[in-house]
Amino acid sequence: MTSPVATIPTRATEQGPLADLAQETLALTRRLFLQLVRRPSTLIAGILQPLIWLLLFGALFSNAPEGLLPGGMGYGRFLGAGVIVFTAFSGALNAGLPLMFDREFGFLNRLLVAPLRSRRSIVFASVIYITSLSLLQSLAIIGTSALIGYGWPSAAGLALVMLTLLLLVFAFTALSLGLAFALPGHIELIAVIFVANLPLLFASTALAPLSFMPIWLSWLASLNPLTFAIEPIRAAYAGGPLDLGGVMLEAPYGAVSGYQCLSVLFLLAVGLFLLISPLLNRKLA
Amino acid sequence: MPVIELQQIEKSYGPVQALKGLSLTVPRGCLYGLLGPNGAGKTTTIRILATLLEPDAGSVKVAGLDALREPRAVRCELGYVAQEVAIDKILTGREMLQLQGDLYHLRPAERDARIADLIDRLGMESWLDRRCGTYSGGMRRRLDLASGLLHKPQLLVLDEPTVGLDIESRSVIWELLRELRLQGTTVLLSSHYLEEVEALADRMAIIDDGRVIAEGTPDQLKQRLGGDRVTLRVREFSNEVEAEQVRQLLEPVDGVRQVVVNRAQGFSLNLVVDGEQVLSRLREQLDAAQLPVFALAQSRPSLDDVYLQATGRTLMDAELAVVGQRDAKQERKSSMR
Ligand SMILES: Nc1ncnc2c1ncn2[C@@H]1O[C@H](COP(=O)(O)OP(=O)(O)O)[C@@H](O)[C@H]1O
Ligand SMILES: [Mg+2]
């Protein structure tokens, strides 16, 4: 019964930790995209909703007196930046959902039994997936708003748009992944996403400039991370030379430059990743 | 060197002590059965082996590796088929297996060749490119088995692999397990089916209430008990007083080794006897005491008798006692990462 022939499995030559890491991360990312393609309703809703906003809100204020908005911008063009940011933001906020389902339905255990090089690849895969998805959706909106005549940023402007979105998406993906491990189930996670979504939108400069708001709201809006993403993108859409050193937000507490907006987003992203790091270490230990 | 060495494992879930000093040694190349009723601690033991759980105390060695210090190395050597199958319903079987292969870092060519081979052996060709959500329980289980074997582990661990399966799937799985054993893979399977362990296992342990209560080959366990079994019912449903009377009446009979009252089975009596002639002596004794005989049967000892002897109840009764008492939802929730 105890056969002396040890059956050492005939593994192919080892391929090194980095290649392993790439392989496992890619496979996990592929799974998320397969899920998306087979259940396209999320994707479709994620693109349709902002487009409808763009069209309806744009139409709603299309007859507003000219010169009302800073820089004499038309409302559609003003709104474009807000909708792009909001789309990326909602996408990122949903990043934790697939992970939460995997926790709840035991699929995570299947991943944890495998000899992953690093269990962080589970997190990397979510970040890669959500980032590419959000950027894709934003591009769809950038394209559409150009088509309906709301303008188009310069090449440098487009780079600024992508950089800003990237920072924003990282920050809220981190938050959502943290919540996916901290909350007890998907019901709670969906509730948090739902509750966070609209107030963050309305208490930002997505729909109206600070100058339209009562003072308390303008305080809230100029502390809201969404605003720090919206203003640089709006600047990229304004036409004319891009000056990141120039003032982009006249906040009640003082003027905020483009660099400062980006720094806030950068610090937020880094801060949130540091914040969830111990939680991830514990849950994936 | 044994492939599995568990020593004095203890594990609690809150106030519930699931494992109470469980020790287990599984030799290389062996098909090993872990038999025990629901709640005995089989799943907990297997999850500890699969590095999903850490024990509160005790040592865990798999393939000579300390599973608590080198869990990743252990994961490379081990294939695991869980009790509850977690699959991604929206992926096809092939996509699930490719994912699994990538998580074990197989080269794509090697991975796909391996998938083809296993799918053939498990008879699931026509299902491979359909979504897992459409699979029957048996098909899911086969897919899970293929996942567990993809990286050619030297040890395969299965938690109740055939519970609730159709007969065909069951025989496919049994066949594959036997084949693996012949090829030298060590297999550990848990079950609460006597027949399954009896049909498959070279060696086995009976576990009850978080401990191993008997260990050896199935034949050894039965022989160790010795004697024949007699089941006696004086009437269909007796009572404690009468059963106790009968017990005292029959215990002194020549050739009777032991009499146990089986409360769960209408206070019937289970006797261990030597030889064939005892049965007629029992009848005489009962006649003399003017007791009726509803049923009286003699048999060779079975694995169930081994369990009965050690715990005072049959495996089936132990199983029934737990039914409805465990809250699967709650347990899943509390063991969520
Ligand atoms: N996640 C859990 N939370 C609380 N109790 C649990 C949990 N998992 C198992 N138990 C308890 O531990 C004991 C052993 O369970 P388990 O290992 O699943 O046994 P088996 O697989 O033999 O049925 C049982 O009493 C069960 O109710
Ligand atoms: Mg179990």
Side-chain angles (χ1 to χ4, degrees), chain B residues 36-44 46 83-84 159-160 190 192 326 331:
Chain B
N38 196 339
K42 303 184 293 297
T43 298
T44 306
I46 286 181
Q83 183 171 6
E84 279 182 18
D159 198 356
E160 308 218 21
S190 80
H192 67 269
R326 292 180 65 173
E331 283 183 14

Side-chain angles (χ1 to χ4, degrees), chain B residues 46-275:
Chain B
I46 286 181
R47 286 169 65 92
I48 287 174
L49 280 173
T51 72
L52 280 173
L53 271 184
E54 277 199 16
D56 302 334
S59 76
V60 185
K61 275 195 160 180
V62 177
L65 299 158
D66 183 335
L68 304 177
R69 284 218 210 102
E70 300 179 85
R72 202 182 100 82
V74 166
R75 286 175 204 131
C76 291
E77 306 303 332
L78 170 141
Y80 169 57
V81 180
Q83 183 171 6
E84 279 182 18
V85 191
I87 51 165
D88 191 336
K89 291 185 182 170
I90 212 153
L91 299 187
T92 64
R94 187 189 303 278
E95 287 160 352
M96 279 287 298
L97 291 173
Q98 286 175 335
L99 171 65
Q100 185 86 7
D102 286 334
L103 298 183
Y104 282 83
H105 312 117
L106 304 183
R107 243 24 58 70
E110 182 195 358
R111 175 194 74 187
D112 293 342
R114 190 72 186 138
I115 291 175
D117 174 38
L118 283 167
I119 286 316
D120 182 44
R121 278 157 79 175
L122 284 160
M124 40 186 315
E125 298 86 354
S126 54
W127 289 89
L128 187 58
D129 289 305
R130 296 194 214 178
R131 294 193 188 175
C132 304
T134 65
Y135 287 14
S136 67
M139 224 22 95
R140 285 185 188 198
R141 202 31 82 129
R142 292 189 214 183
L143 177 65
D144 233 38
L145 202 58
S147 304
L149 286 170
L150 210 55
H151 61 294
K152 299 191 178 161
Q154 57 169 306
L155 168 67
L156 180 69
V157 180
L158 309 99
D159 198 356
E160 308 218 21
T162 65
V163 171
L165 290 199
D166 55 292
I167 295 181
E168 199 215 318
S169 296
R170 189 160 94 152
S171 73
V172 167
I173 291 175
W174 282 18
E175 228 17 78
L176 183 67
L177 294 183
R178 291 198 177 106
E179 205 180 301
L180 283 170
R181 198 197 77 98
L182 286 180
Q183 294 164 357
T185 305
T186 310
V187 179
L188 174 79
L189 103 157
S190 80
S191 182
H192 67 269
Y193 292 145
L194 293 163
E195 313 84 66
E196 184 159 63
V197 174
E198 190 127 43
L200 291 173
D202 307 315
R203 284 189 80 82
M204 60 178 294
I206 299 184
I207 97 170
D208 188 64
D209 196 21
R211 287 189 196 89
V212 171
I213 55 172
E215 206 276 340
T217 70
D219 281 341
Q220 278 173 350
L221 291 186
K222 288 185 256 178
Q223 275 164 17
R224 227 175 270 157
L225 277 186
D228 276 4
R229 310 289 114 174
V230 169
T231 329
L232 165 67
R233 288 163 177 264
V234 288
R235 54 186 104 242
E236 191 169 6
F237 297 104
S238 186
N239 57 53
E240 186 155 16
V241 180
E242 186 178 56
E244 190 53 34
Q245 270 173 5
V246 180
R247 194 180 72 79
Q248 283 172 11
L249 179 74
L250 297 183
E251 221 162 31
V253 172
D254 191 25
V256 172
R257 283 208 223 156
Q258 192 192 14
V259 186
V260 179
V261 176
N262 188 339
R263 291 158 183 277
Q265 296 290 334
F267 294 99
S268 64
L269 291 136
N270 294 94
L271 294 78
V272 180
V273 302
D274 291 316

Side-chain angles (χ1 to χ4, degrees), chain A residues 116-129:
Chain A
L116 298 180
R117 272 293 165 177
S118 163
R119 290 176 166 186
R120 286 300 175 98
S121 29
I122 300 170
V123 176
F124 293 154
S126 294
V127 174
I128 295 173
Y129 165 72

Side-chain angles (χ1 to χ4, degrees), chain A residues 170-260:
Chain A
F170 281 160
F172 283 97
T173 298
L175 181 68
S176 183
L177 292 175
L179 287 173
F181 274 119
L183 294 175
H186 71 275
I187 311 237
E188 290 80 359
L189 182 58
I190 289 175
V192 170
I193 293 172
F194 185 76
V195 166
N197 230 332
L198 287 187
L200 269 164
L201 174 73
F202 285 111
S204 77
T205 57
L207 304 176
L210 283 183
S211 58
F212 287 19
M213 301 178 190
I215 186 72
W216 63 269
L217 189 57
S218 72
W219 266 97
L220 279 184
S222 48
L223 293 173
N224 182 343
L226 292 193
T227 300
F228 293 100
I230 292 165
E231 292 309 322
I233 293 180
R234 195 161 277 156
Y237 264 91
L242 250 182
D243 176 17
L244 281 180
V247 172
M248 293 198 173
L249 181 71
E250 293 282 3
Y253 49 76
V256 184
S257 73
Y259 284 123
Q260 285 168 330

